[in-house]
Amino acid sequence: MKKLLIVVDYQKDFVDGSAGFLKAKKLEDGIFEKINKYLKEGQKVLCTLDTHGEEYLETREGKKFNIVHCIKNTEGHKLYGKLSTLKKEDIFFLEKKAFGISPESLCEIKKDFGNIDVIEIVGIVTNMCVISNAIMFQNAYVNSEIIIDASLCASFDEEMHNKALDILEGIHFNVINR
């Protein structure tokens, strides 16, 4: 059985940086353990990296979410905590310029990874980047089981976090550990 773990945007700026929030810090050990479990099983792990330029506040997203964050080549763009110790040759990294990965990047993933039986998604921010990436993968992998581990997802807005999980359940994601 081929499995893929997607870790969405577990970066310094979202944990203890400019867009950081307390609940994000509490995910570190669980996400790190899950990554190591997948690697020990010989499965694939993909980490998305929210990636912006200096002109972020001039973008559509920046005008609505006006917190400068995850600027490429800054400390805030790097993976947070224990995740920063992961070997680059073991993990796939994907920079993205919006909430979800681009269709072009998704086509490359499908080409490189082939069929995947189970996709599991963890990370932050549930109601922005997690939900956006989940839907992108759902549309590309129509026969894969897609799991959202709610215990390893978080948002700075708990109400929106829960609403996003409700929506994900409503469109047939397997939301676990809620």
Side-chain angles (χ1 to χ4, degrees), residues 88-100:
K88 301 236 184 246
E89 58 271 10
D90 295 337
I91 309 282
F92 296 88
F93 292 93
L94 178 64
E95 292 184 354
K96 59 184 189 56
K97 296 179 181 181
F99 292 158

Side-chain angles (χ1 to χ4, degrees), residues 1 3 13 25 53 66 98 108 112 121 126 133 168:
M1 177 180 292
K3 295 168 66 176
D13 270 349
K25 284 185 181 183
N66 58 354
E108 287 297 314
D112 292 345
I121 302 173
T126 314
N133 285 288
L168 289 163

Side-chain angles (χ1 to χ4, degrees):
M1 177 180 292
K2 254 176 115 173
K3 295 168 66 176
L4 170 65
L5 174 64
I6 301 168
V7 179
V8 178
D9 300 353
Y10 201 69
Q11 296 163 262
K12 289 182 67 53
D13 270 349
F14 281 122
V15 180
D16 67 356
S18 59
F21 55 101
L22 184 59
K23 191 170 179 189
K25 284 185 181 183
K26 297 177 181 178
L27 303 180
E28 180 182 4
D29 289 336
I31 290 175
F32 189 72
E33 288 170 17
K34 190 168 289 251
I35 289 170
N36 283 311
K37 178 180 181 261
Y38 269 72
L39 294 175
K40 284 178 186 165
E41 293 173 355
Q43 303 294 351
K44 297 192 183 311
V45 176
L46 170 71
C47 292
T48 67
L49 296 169
D50 198 41
T51 305
H52 302 292
E54 295 294 332
E55 76 294 343
Y56 173 73
L57 292 177
E58 299 166 24
T59 67
R60 182 187 65 209
E61 179 185 325
K63 289 175 184 172
K64 298 206 181 264
F65 186 69
N66 58 354
I67 300 170
V68 175
H69 65 282
C70 299
I71 304 299
K72 189 172 175 121
N73 298 321
T74 65
E75 279 300 305
H77 184 253
K78 295 178 181 175
L79 290 176
Y80 177 77
K82 293 177 185 176
L83 276 69
S84 67
T85 67
L86 296 168
K87 295 178 184 167
K88 301 236 184 246
E89 58 271 10
D90 295 337
I91 309 282
F92 296 88
F93 292 93
L94 178 64
E95 292 184 354
K96 59 184 189 56
K97 296 179 181 181
F99 292 158
I101 66 170
S102 70
E104 296 82 11
S105 293
L106 194 52
C107 288
E108 287 297 314
I109 290 168
K110 282 202 66 143
K111 181 178 147 196
D112 292 345
F113 291 5
N115 291 330
I116 300 170
D117 301 301
V118 177
I119 298 170
E120 186 169 3
I121 302 173
V122 301
I124 49 184
V125 169
T126 314
N127 53 294
M128 293 176 167
C129 298
V130 171
I131 195 170
S132 296
N133 285 288
I135 290 168
M136 291 298 291
F137 277 89
Q138 183 187 50
N139 289 324
Y141 288 91
V142 297
N143 291 316
S144 300
E145 178 184 6
I146 304 180
I147 300 165
I148 309 295
D149 186 341
S151 71
L152 296 177
C153 293
S155 174
F156 46 80
D157 182 327
E158 192 66 21
E159 182 180 350
M160 291 302 291
H161 165 78
N162 287 316
K163 285 180 180 181
L165 294 174
D166 288 343
I167 289 168
L168 289 163
E169 283 179 330
I171 55 176
H172 306 152
F173 286 88
N174 183 6
V175 178
I176 62 169
N177 298 323
R178 195 156 180 196

